[in-house]
Amino acid sequence: MTLSREHITARQVFSVFALLLAVALVALLVYLVLFMSPDPSVTDGGQERAGIRSLLTIDGPGTGANPDFSRPLGAALAPDGTIYVADTGNNRVCVFDADGGFLFEFGGLGIAKPASGVKATWEPGRMNFPTGVAVDEDGTVYVADFYNDQIQAFDADGTFLRRFPDPNARVGRGSSGEGGTGIAVTGVAVADGHVYATDAYQIVVFATQGEFVRQFGRPGAAPGAMDRPNGLAVDADGTVYVADSNNNRVMALTADGAPRWVLGDPVAELDRRVDNVFGLPRDVAITGAGTIVVVDAFEFEIVELDRDGKVLGRYGQRGIAPGQFNFPNSIDARGNRLLVADKENGRVQLLELVRR
C-alpha cells in the first residue's frame, strides 16, 4: 500500500502534537514538584505534623550594585533576631532585620595573601570568600575569611574590630593556611567567651579577643580525626558538635577533642551510600529545645538529632519553593527558629521547627 502525501503529513502533524503534549506534561510535573509540593507543616487529620514551616526567604538586599546574593555559604541569627548573611561570591556580609528588611552591608574584596609578585589589597574589614558567620550574645560578629586565612570580628553595625590569627604566622602546632600560616577557616562558632573555627582537618579555639587557646583534630577518618569539616556548634557543657563533611558524618567531641559519639560513616563511592545517615553534612546548630540540627547539602534536608546522636526527624527536600533546598550549606538556630544558607538557590531561609 502506498501512502499519499496527505497521509504522511497527517502522521507528521500527529507526531508533533504528541511531542508537544509530552513536553507540556513534563513541564506540569516539574511545576507540581517544585511549586506545589506539600507544606511540611500541614496537618494530618487535623493534627500538625513535625517538620519545618517557612517564615521568610531573602534573595539579597534588593538594592545597590549587587542586589542579589551570590551563592551564600553562611548565615547567623543575632540574639535580637537580626540576620547576618555571608554573601560569599560578593565578598560581603549583608544585614537584615528580623522581618527580612535590608539594613546595610559591609566588606568588599580584599586579598591578604596574594600570589607571588602581586600586591596585597586587604584592608581592615575587607574579605576574600567569606564562608561563615557567627554572632555572640553581645552582638559581636565573627566572619570566617577563608582565602585570607583569618577570622574577622565586627561590632553589630559592621565596624571592624580585629582579626585573628595573623594570616602570615604559624598557629599552634601547625597551620592549614596557604604557606603553612594562618588557618583556612571554613566555619566559625562562638560560645562561653571563645571562638571555635573549623579548618581543613581540625578545630582551632581562640579567646574572643583573638588569643590562641588550643587546637584538636588531625587528618583522617578515625574517630576524632576530620576531613574538611565545614561547621560546628558548642553546647553549654562544652560539647563540640562538628559536621565532618568529607567523612559524611557528625561527631560529638569533648572540649579537648575526645570523641563522645560518631554518627555516619565515610563513603568511598557516593553511589553506594544508600544506607548512610548523611550525604554531605555541612553545618550544625543547637535548638532552644537542646536538639541538634544538621544541614545536609547532598540530601537537601535538615536532620534533627538528640544529644546522644539519635535521629529524631528529617525535614525538607530538593526544590525552589519555600521550605525546600538546593545544596544548603549552613544553619543557625535561636529557639525553634532556624536560618539556612540555601546556597544554590541564592538565598537564605528563616524557618520554624514544628514539633507534634
Side-chain angles (χ1 to χ4, degrees):
M1 177 179 179
T2 302
L3 294 176
S4 66
R5 184 180 300 273
E6 288 74 14
H7 286 136
I8 295 172
T9 302
R11 176 176 294 178
Q12 290 174 334
V13 170
F14 179 78
S15 298
V16 171
F17 175 78
L19 178 61
L20 291 175
L21 180 60
V23 170
L25 289 173
V26 170
L28 177 61
L29 179 62
V30 170
Y31 175 83
L32 291 173
V33 169
L34 294 181
F35 294 98
M36 301 298 291
S37 295
D39 185 335
S41 65
V42 297
T43 59
D44 287 329
Q47 182 180 23
E48 190 170 49
R49 65 173 183 253
I52 49 175
R53 177 190 294 122
S54 176
L55 299 178
L56 63 88
T57 63
I58 306 173
D59 301 315
T63 187
N66 296 298
D68 299 318
F69 293 139
S70 177
R71 305 180 79 191
L73 289 178
L77 285 166
D80 65 357
T82 301
I83 296 169
Y84 291 82
V85 181
D87 185 16
T88 308
N90 288 319
N91 298 294
R92 65 183 178 180
V93 171
C94 295
V95 187
F96 303 83
D97 64 27
D99 296 319
F102 176 64
L103 298 175
F104 60 92
E105 65 181 73
F106 57 93
L109 178 62
I111 301 173
K113 301 174 76 170
S116 178
V118 179
K119 183 179 179 181
T121 60
W122 183 81
E123 298 176 354
R126 296 283 179 171
M127 306 170 189
N128 190 5
F129 206 76
T131 53
V133 59
V135 186
D136 69 15
E137 296 304 310
D138 297 326
T140 303
V141 181
Y142 300 88
V143 178
D145 192 6
F146 178 69
Y147 282 129
N148 284 334
D149 294 336
Q150 64 185 5
I151 297 166
Q152 295 195 61
F154 302 84
D155 69 14
D157 296 321
T159 301
F160 174 82
L161 299 175
R162 55 191 169 274
R163 69 168 179 172
F164 58 90
D166 183 340
N168 297 303
R170 180 182 171 91
V171 179
R173 297 188 309 270
S175 300
S176 59
E178 181 70 23
T181 59
I183 58 171
V185 54
T186 54
V188 63
V190 59
D192 194 28
H194 293 86
V195 178
Y196 295 74
T198 50
D199 72 5
Y201 57 86
Q202 65 183 344
I203 293 172
V204 188
V205 186
F206 302 89
T208 52
Q209 293 301 310
E211 300 86 0
F212 170 78
V213 176
R214 63 183 180 276
Q215 64 196 137
F216 50 87
R218 62 190 185 280
M226 304 174 203
D227 186 2
R228 299 299 191 275
N230 275 274
L232 74 169
V234 184
D235 216 336
D237 65 357
T239 300
V240 179
Y241 302 98
V242 58
D244 187 15
S245 299
N246 284 14
N247 279 327
N248 312 101
R249 66 189 184 185
V250 171
M251 294 190 292
L253 309 171
T254 68
D256 295 320
R260 288 188 170 175
W261 52 257
V262 178
L263 181 64
D265 300 292
V267 178
E269 299 179 39
L270 289 180
D271 59 349
R272 296 183 181 178
R273 62 181 173 86
V274 176
D275 296 326
N276 201 44
V277 180
F278 301 109
L280 186 72
R282 296 287 289 185
D283 197 14
V284 297
I286 303 170
T287 70
T291 60
I292 314 304
V293 282
V294 183
V295 67
D296 191 330
F298 280 1
E299 297 298 333
F300 315 102
E301 67 183 4
I302 295 168
V303 183
E304 187 177 18
L305 313 174
D306 68 15
R307 280 189 163 117
D308 295 320
K310 177 184 176 182
V311 176
L312 300 176
R314 297 175 179 272
Y315 318 119
Q317 64 187 59
R318 190 174 193 179
I320 62 174
Q324 299 176 343
F325 309 108
N326 195 13
F327 295 98
N329 193 77
S330 81
I331 189 167
D332 195 18
R334 292 275 178 181
N336 64 342
R337 291 195 168 193
L338 310 178
L339 183 67
V340 175
D342 192 8
K343 182 184 71 168
E344 293 301 331
N345 277 330
R347 66 186 182 185
V348 296
Q349 296 195 62
L350 184 64
L351 308 163
E352 184 179 15
L353 186 58
V354 178
R355 295 183 176 86
R356 283 184 176 177

